[in-house]
Amino acid sequence: MSETATERVSYLRAGHSLKSWLLTTDHKRIAILYVLSITFFFFVGAIAAALIRLDLLTPAGDLLTNDGYNRAFTIHGVVMVWFFLIPSIPNTFGNFLLPLMIGARDLAFPKLNLLSWYIYMIAGLFTVFVLIAGGVDTGWTFYTPLSTMYANGNVILAASAVFIVGFSSILTGLNFIVTVHKLRCPGMTWGRLPLFVWSIYATSLVLVLATPVLSITLVLISLERLFGLGIFNPALGGDPLLYQHLFWFYSHPAVYIMVLPALGVISELVAAGARKPIFGYQFVAASSVAIAALGFFVWGHHMFVSGQSAYASAAFSFLSIAVAIPSGIKVYNWTATLFKGHISLDPPFLFAMAFIGLFVFGGLTGLMLAMLAIDVHVHDTYFVIAHFHYIMVGGTVSAFFGALHYWWPKIVGRMYSIVWGRLAAIFIFLGFNLTFFPQFLLGYLGMPRRYHVYPPEFQVLNVFSSVGATLLGAAYLMPFIYFIHSLRYGAPAGDNPWGATGLEWTTPSPPPKHNFDSVPLVDRPPYDYEVEMEGDNA
């Protein structure tokens, strides 16, 4: 076999043994390992969500005990936040696409990349063990003094799992930052980076800077619970509000760890769907960094009713509202990009439109929660649950599916059913809204979160929400079926089935092991669709 032919063997055919996958340092194969892993943990979290919605069908909470309900929503939160949402787009599509998009052969530290996956798996399987061993009942926030004094679950084991997975996040973020700085191909200047790369870069900064704070906080919980050190317990001289400050200093930026990569995906999908350059590229790129930076200064809006200073609350309220500015820049620029665009209705674009609608609605309700008067009224109610899920599930998961439908042909080299893809996008959008919109009404009417026994007047809205969850669950299963079908029966995709710009579309589908036969040279701006279309018309 010639050297060129060896270079062009796809990464999927570069080895078929289990060892070739488990010891691989190819960023694309590690991305596939992450896809399989997060899919498993997604189903674990989804099963817990299904139990919660079934239990809430009746006001008496007939399915689960009080303690069982606490454990179900804790597992749902812990697994979905740390083992699905946070790694979902950065560790899968970031791993697969980042070197391809900047013209590199791999990430800067391939072995470190594989180590990140192993750490992630150890932590994830440890969490499943905690689930089998009895679970934990504190909620995903591990609030003190509940977690340090009163909880009777495996708090330390669960906190240890989250502590371990934090190292995976830090190593991944560090790898991405160094890769973007050091491995860009000739001509790939900062002003020519794809917007998905900008969003992954901003996310990586948050991962590296914020995750250590959470890790230290979880260690402090364990020290107080194990040895009775007075850190958060007032009876021992500690301060429970210190925990909330430390937890939300990480956890609000963590929201942007989950959603910033999704914003980058949507920029790619909108440009490809409209076949136009992104309107205001520089502002969209800068807004990703601005969101990441502002995310470190808004944690106090989670503590408006905790007794913190009124002046501090006013400052956090102002800063939280300020996040809407860079977020709005993205939405307005996407809209301007679509104006007079050559709009396609392919599945990736439908998922992008679903994302924009849900993100705008979730963002507007976030502005409501950033206002002191409204937040006090709906604090710890289902209004907060609905807002969180509109951003995290409606937004991030829609973007994840949009990315999967957009880059699937590049990843496996085969197409899927476009018709079924469109139907899945529509049913997911409908199922999501039927599930979570009633929860806004429940919250505004006063139904608190984390209660499974509730007044009968809330039952109708809870039934609507549970029916919507059933539709949503079925809709989520649809892509798994036609993607598996496409692996064997899908038509060959070709190198660039969407006619998109970007270096990843200049490689074969699926790409060869080292991505490019020679180092690419970039000599034109990103999203140069006008040049592409002029070429098509020539």
Side-chain angles (χ1 to χ4, degrees), residues 275 277 314 408:
R275 298 192 63 73
W408 178 266

Side-chain angles (χ1 to χ4, degrees), residues 457-468:
E457 57 264 34
F458 293 145
Q459 185 176 16
V460 172
L461 289 171
N462 270 302
V463 169
F464 272 117
S465 186
S466 295
V467 170

Side-chain angles (χ1 to χ4, degrees), residues 5 54 64 132 159 179 200 207 212 285 335 358 364 380 405 434 461 463 488 508 516 530-531:
L54 284 172
L64 300 172
I132 296 172
T179 301
I200 289 293
L207 280 170
T335 307
L358 298 174
L364 290 174
D380 264 349
H405 286 75
L434 185 56
L461 289 171
V463 169
R488 185 173 179 84
F516 303 97
E530 292 174 357
V531 172

Side-chain angles (χ1 to χ4, degrees), residues 29 36 76 108 118 261 339 348 367 379 384 425 429 435 437 459 515:
R29 285 195 164 205
L36 298 175
H76 172 68
Y118 273 104
F339 181 64
L367 286 176
H379 186 81
V384 179
F429 181 78
T435 303
F437 186 79
Q459 185 176 16
N515 298 341

Side-chain angles (χ1 to χ4, degrees), residues 72-120:
F73 72 67
T74 301
I75 287 297
H76 172 68
V78 169
V79 171
M80 284 299 199
V81 169
W82 280 297
F83 297 97
F84 175 71
L85 285 171
I86 285 181
S88 60
I89 295 178
N91 293 35
T92 56
F93 296 104
N95 250 314
F96 195 94
L97 294 169
L98 185 59
L100 286 166
M101 284 182 159
I102 64 172
R105 292 167 67 92
D106 207 317
L107 290 175
F109 306 113
K111 292 181 180 176
L112 203 64
N113 195 22
L114 181 62
L115 176 64
S116 298
W117 178 74
Y118 273 104
I119 293 174
Y120 167 81

